[in-house]
Amino acid sequence: MEQEQAFRGEMLYTGMLEGALVDPDYSVRVDNVRWSQPGEATILSDQFFLEWLMYREDDIECARPGRNFVTSHAVILVPPGQAVRTRWNSGRLRTISCSFRTELLADYPELLSFLSSLDGDHQFNLDSPFLQAGLTRIADEVVTPGLDSGFMVRSLLFAICGEIRRATLGQPVPQECDGALSPGQMTMLRQVLHESGKLPTVVDLAQHCGVTSRALSPLVKRATGVTLRHYIARERLNRAKALLDDQKLMVKQVAYSCGFASAAAFTAAFRKTTGMTPVEYRTRC
């Protein structure tokens, strides 16, 4: 909190806290900020610290004391008592940050011991589509809490810890199923497309699904029966409809959240697909 106040005082960034959830054993927050200039900070806690940049205009860099910085483009895990330096460039960052006490894993001493001993550069690039899917789901629960959100977040944190161990030890992750994307990969694809902000590229989507960009389109076609382009458009529309149900959101906010450059572009695309403007849809529904 002191660090946040210091940054605010120097007016280094603007943005908002999208949501937060605090429990005796863990705390989670989702931030959406734009840094006006490069920044640097040190992570040091008596708890586990887990962070993923769900949206970034540039990668960040991390380093243990006395070591060189390494570029991080995936999930970061810092065990209790470890000091890690981070630095980043100016631009927009949307992050989910989780802190959780060792007591959360008290019933799983082997897993607790493994996670506590992580100290290599790989802890700054924990790359797994299922890991990112779990953190995306936690972010959704924090930003738009629902029934039993606390229970859901706790359960997902358990799964994430197990997935970190699996990914670190090099266990194989299922990639394709019968020539189509697996259910897990389709879940990841939907979650990435439903994230707020800039529409991801095909390369981004392929990386999240753990396949090549060339293979993604035919895999999606076999799984859904529609082309990748149509699938993306459909999911953007589904997200837009869900957001329009919230009367507090302006149309331009919905447009930006769904990756459109302007409210006019969003309205044109929405009318082309539904035959109604967003305002008309909101009024009728």
Side-chain angles (χ1 to χ4, degrees):
M1 182 61 69
E2 292 179 0
Q3 183 187 75
E4 179 179 333
Q5 292 174 345
F7 284 143
R8 287 284 187 187
E10 298 174 29
M11 297 300 291
L12 296 183
Y13 72 82
T14 58
M16 65 176 180
L17 171 67
E18 290 189 26
L21 183 63
V22 179
D23 179 270
D25 288 331
Y26 65 82
S27 63
V28 186
R29 57 184 291 150
V30 178
D31 292 280
N32 195 336
V33 301
R34 179 172 293 277
W35 289 87
S36 60
Q37 57 185 284
E40 185 169 338
T42 297
I43 301 170
L44 178 61
S45 173
D46 60 354
Q47 302 182 14
F48 284 99
F49 179 79
L50 190 65
E51 184 172 70
W52 180 41
L53 279 63
M54 296 184 287
Y55 176 87
R56 61 191 182 278
E57 295 179 355
D58 199 356
D59 290 328
I60 68 170
E61 293 182 315
C62 303
R64 296 285 304 284
R67 300 185 186 180
N68 294 327
F69 278 95
V70 297
T71 299
S72 173
H73 57 268
V75 176
I76 300 167
L77 175 69
V78 181
Q82 282 192 15
V84 172
R85 293 179 297 154
T86 64
R87 63 188 186 189
W88 54 90
N89 293 322
S90 59
R92 182 178 161 231
L93 292 174
R94 183 172 187 253
T95 61
I96 175 170
S97 305
C98 308
S99 296
F100 57 94
R101 301 171 59 201
T102 56
E103 285 80 0
L104 186 70
L105 301 176
D107 293 334
Y108 307 92
E110 187 176 348
L111 178 58
L112 174 61
S113 176
F114 176 84
L115 295 179
S116 299
S117 66
L118 287 178
D119 64 354
D121 290 345
H122 57 275
Q123 73 187 85
F124 306 137
N125 278 296
L126 298 168
D127 198 2
S128 159
F130 297 98
L131 186 57
Q132 294 170 1
L135 288 170
T136 299
R137 179 61 185 274
I138 289 179
D140 290 341
E141 293 291 340
V142 171
V143 174
T144 55
L147 181 65
D148 296 326
S149 284
F151 172 78
M152 291 294 294
V153 170
R154 178 180 289 268
S155 300
L156 287 164
L157 281 173
F158 282 129
I160 284 170
C161 289
E163 180 61 26
I164 289 174
R165 184 183 184 197
R166 176 179 293 181
T168 303
L169 292 176
Q171 294 294 329
V173 176
Q175 297 296 323
E176 299 176 15
C177 178
D178 297 328
L181 291 183
S182 68
Q185 289 170 314
M186 287 303 303
T187 297
M188 166 59 71
L189 195 61
R190 283 191 296 272
Q191 290 176 335
V192 173
L193 289 172
H194 281 238
E195 284 182 17
S196 175
K198 184 179 178 182
L199 188 68
T201 65
V202 173
V203 173
D204 293 333
L205 295 174
Q207 288 177 344
H208 278 88
C209 292
V211 300
T212 65
S213 54
R214 175 181 292 184
L216 182 62
S217 186
L219 289 172
V220 169
K221 180 68 178 292
R222 295 189 192 105
T224 66
V226 298
T227 65
L228 177 60
R229 181 178 179 181
H230 283 95
Y231 180 79
I232 292 174
R234 185 176 73 189
E235 290 304 314
R236 292 175 83 189
L237 181 64
N238 289 339
R239 173 172 171 77
K241 288 179 176 178
L243 292 176
L244 286 170
D245 288 338
D246 186 348
Q247 299 291 331
K248 293 180 293 184
L249 291 176
M250 295 183 293
V251 170
K252 65 179 181 180
Q253 291 177 299
V254 175
Y256 172 75
S257 182
C258 293
F260 289 91
S262 67
F266 169 57
T267 297
F270 195 91
R271 181 190 287 119
K272 181 178 179 180
T273 304
T274 66
M276 295 181 286
T277 68
V279 174
E280 291 171 340
Y281 175 84
R282 173 175 274 174
T283 301
R284 295 185 185 185
C285 299

